[in-house]
Amino acid sequence: MTQAPIARFTRLRHATFTSPDPERLLDYYRGVIGLGLVGRDGGRLFLANDSEQLSLVIEPGDAELKSIAFEISPDAQLESLGAALKQADLRPELHSDPLPGVSRLLSFSDPEGTRFELIQGWTPTPAQERIGGFAVAKLGHVALRTPDPKAASEFYASVMGLRVSDWIEDRFVFMRSGFEHHTLNFARAPVRGLHHFAFELRGPDHMHRACDHLARHKLPVLWGPVRHGPGHNTAIYHRNPDGHLVELFCDLDRMTDEALGYFDPRPWHRDRPQRPKVWVGLPRDVWGMPPSPECTEFAR
Ligand SMILES: [Fe+2]
């Protein structure tokens, strides 16, 4: 008998990064990506999107991803969840009033040491300034490197209730926590770390504006625009001032009804219906150029 997951990730909420120059990163998120400063707490900076949701936390340190936060069901009991995570040796910690708009948060470290935060409920966290830049819609997904994507996918399916959407061969897995094709991905690489992270745009016109805006800020588009195969999102990639690869995307596949087992039909699908599968061979992308040499390492 398969055991029920300990918890169930629902929406991706925010990510926490450490940075050697948080103010430079803040300028980039304010002026280019379009997040606004909610407040400061010591060296920590809290940034929200214009839907008044906390999207990023920046702390002083090396240029690293520190943690990823997902919302969990309002019915889950954080105390019993903490006990179950402890039993599974995942080092849970319960925090009260840890972040703006978040009253309770339970964190844990996965078997490879990446910290996740489980959040229950939220209140709006409006930025204390006008949102500038091209005002992304939201943080859309995070892709991690791991030596063993199969083990990572099995852990997140069995422990956190994620579902596998697609594989590229046996080296890149896309996992969904809600109806969107992916919110958490794992790419095979020698050591655990960040592969890339992505913000959702509002549509194709918004992507056009984002390209112009990146050019004005002398941030070269390293790959794209491209329409991917897995997920069928259109995407562009650039690097932020800390050197992390940032994807901007729209049109991501949705599985609005899990019981049907296929993604909502779209004209650019080549399989009808488009079900989760293993993608093998090239070209995987529907259109667009292959990644530039600087980006090849990240080719998904
Ligand atoms: Fe991505």
Side-chain angles (χ1 to χ4, degrees), residues 7-54:
R8 208 171 267 283
F9 284 174
T10 57
R11 291 177 52 228
L12 175 63
R13 287 290 305 271
H14 65 264
T16 302
F17 286 88
T18 50
S19 170
D21 192 344
E23 295 300 325
R24 180 181 65 170
L25 212 50
L26 174 62
D27 284 349
Y28 156 83
Y29 283 116
R30 275 173 158 161
V32 180
I33 297 294
L35 301 176
L37 188 65
V38 174
R40 296 170 182 264
D41 175 16
R44 292 203 297 170
L45 306 172
F46 304 107
L47 287 87
N49 61 9
D50 67 355
S51 302
E52 304 185 346
Q53 289 257 298
L54 187 68

Side-chain angles (χ1 to χ4, degrees), residues 141-143 172 174 182 185 195-198 228 233 235 237 247 249 300:
H141 62 267
V142 178
F172 199 121
F174 300 82
H182 55 272
N185 302 340
H195 186 278
H196 71 274
F197 67 109
H228 287 309
N233 48 311
Y237 297 78
E247 175 189 349
F249 73 92
R300 3 171 282 173

Side-chain angles (χ1 to χ4, degrees), residues 223-285:
W223 187 18
V226 58
R227 183 178 295 285
H228 287 309
H232 291 90
N233 48 311
T234 56
I236 53 172
Y237 297 78
H238 71 282
R239 276 186 205 281
N240 75 8
D242 277 359
H244 293 139
L245 196 72
V246 179
E247 175 189 349
L248 304 168
F249 73 92
C250 63
D251 277 352
L252 186 64
D253 278 343
R254 295 169 163 226
M255 189 181 288
T256 48
D257 193 334
E258 284 283 330
L260 295 178
Y262 60 80
F263 299 103
D264 299 357
R266 304 305 300 270
W268 39 78
H269 287 170
R270 286 172 287 199
D271 298 346
R272 301 180 189 278
Q274 188 74 53
R275 298 180 187 280
K277 67 171 186 176
V278 179
W279 293 71
V280 181
L282 292 169
R284 273 186 293 276
D285 293 333

